[in-house]
Amino acid sequence: MSVTAVFTVEGMSCGHCERTVSTELAAIDGVTEVAARAKAGRVTVVSERALDDTVVRSAVDGAGFTLVGRV
């Protein structure tokens, strides 16, 4: 079973930003897929289990961006 969550991320503006955020989120244990869309400021994360927002926030912050919240 997989769980899909969509997050709003502030500060993404280009393909490089998308790749940076995607790389950080993909490193979270259990994440199987990440799709970032800079223009929309959205990131879709598919994981093996529900993700805690603090884990996602830490990864997004580590990429240099700001997690606004879940959509």
Side-chain angles (χ1 to χ4, degrees):
M1 180 175 149
S2 62
V3 178
T4 301
V6 181
F7 299 92
T8 302
V9 176
E10 189 174 276
M12 291 191 306
S13 61
C14 64
H16 174 72
C17 299
E18 291 174 345
R19 288 186 298 279
T20 301
V21 170
S22 294
T23 298
E24 289 293 323
L25 291 171
I28 296 172
D29 185 42
V31 170
T32 58
E33 184 179 338
V34 179
R37 292 177 180 51
K39 290 185 181 184
R42 301 285 161 96
V43 180
T44 302
V45 179
V46 180
S47 60
E48 296 169 349
R49 63 190 180 302
L51 296 174
D52 184 271
D53 284 4
T54 55
V55 172
V56 175
R57 183 175 310 282
S58 178
V60 170
D61 288 350
F65 300 95
T66 303
L67 178 69
V68 177
R70 288 185 189 253
V71 174

